[in-house]
Amino acid sequence: AQSVTQLDSHVSVSEGTPVLLRCNYSSSYSPSLFWYVQHPNKGLQLLLKYTSAATLVKGINGFEAEFKKSETSFHLTKPSAHMSDAAEYFCVVSESSGNNRLAFGKGNQVVVIP
Amino acid sequence: DGGITQSPKYLFRKEGQNVTLSCEQNLNHDAMYWYRQDPGQGLRLIYYSQIVNDFQKGDIAEGYSVSREKKESFPLTVTSAQKNPTAFYLCASSLGQGRGVTGELFFGEGSRLTVL
């Protein structure tokens, strides 16, 4: 079964500095990988997705992530943090085996310091 | 606008009571899901449905029940058998198996249940 590890449950960044959220996964099949963002008391919104095309994926709000198969990683980055980036971020893996089951990481709570 | 509507947004329940959370979608999606979210634990799958009149247990189905009588609707009942029901509940939908990208989910805004 697939699984996801997100270290650093809480991340603090200063406004205007880079954001890096780490995600490592395990999967028996060719995975699809996703990052979702959740603002307080809201549902999750898709930031970006990797589905076996380009390994560098660009998403909304200036975020991007790079799929590295050799490192089983899918880290999320943004060059310059904005106050509106304060939220919780989830890395998700889906296997192409057709079982339609997802594995969610436990999330990174991002705080942006003015 | 297309989307997923969950209601109520906040709900309080006394111990021993069953409560039903509503989830309606107008995205014409085949698959629908219920997740439970607790602080620091990510999302855990309660039940999912790939098609009308069919549903499967997820990882933490005990104490919950669902129905899928219509494509648009997937209500979740939290029964008195659920030992620790206080949580944030999220409903989601997707195009369905074999259609679109597996894992690309569309979420509602959630329902927060508190047991008094």
Side-chain angles (χ1 to χ4, degrees), chain A residues 71-82:
Chain A
E71 299 177 9
T72 61
S73 69
F74 190 56
H75 301 332
L76 181 70
T77 60
K78 182 174 180 177
S80 176
H82 190 271

Side-chain angles (χ1 to χ4, degrees), chain A residues 34-94:
Chain A
F34 307 81
W35 277 98
Y36 285 85
V37 61
Q38 183 184 31
H39 289 92
N41 293 309
K42 298 289 187 183
L44 279 68
Q45 178 186 15
L46 182 67
L47 268 181
L48 49 76
K49 61 186 177 187
Y50 166 76
T51 58
S52 77
T55 55
L56 182 61
V57 181
K58 294 188 184 298
I60 61 172
N61 301 334
F63 284 94
E64 64 181 37
E66 186 171 10
F67 173 69
K68 292 186 176 180
K69 186 175 181 179
S70 61
E71 299 177 9
T72 61
S73 69
F74 190 56
H75 301 332
L76 181 70
T77 60
K78 182 174 180 177
S80 176
H82 190 271
M83 294 301 294
S84 61
D85 295 328
E88 190 155 22
Y89 293 80
F90 294 95
C91 182
V92 181
V93 63
S94 169

Side-chain angles (χ1 to χ4, degrees), chain B residues 45-109:
Chain B
L45 183 64
I46 305 173
Y47 269 97
Y48 65 104
S49 169
Q50 301 277 28
I51 198 167
V52 175
N53 292 321
D54 188 42
F55 50 82
Q56 288 80 40
K57 292 182 179 180
D59 300 317
I60 56 164
E62 185 176 350
Y64 299 98
S65 65
V66 294
S67 63
R68 187 85 188 276
E69 297 176 1
K70 298 187 300 182
K71 187 176 185 178
E72 301 81 15
S73 179
F74 192 41
L76 173 74
T77 297
V78 184
T79 75
S80 57
Q82 169 49 234
K83 300 303 181 188
N84 185 22
T86 294
F88 191 54
Y89 291 88
L90 286 161
C91 180
S93 71
S94 68
L95 282 168
Q97 198 163 354
R99 299 176 60 220
V101 177
T102 300
E104 185 167 357
L105 302 179
F106 295 78
F107 284 85
E109 296 222 325

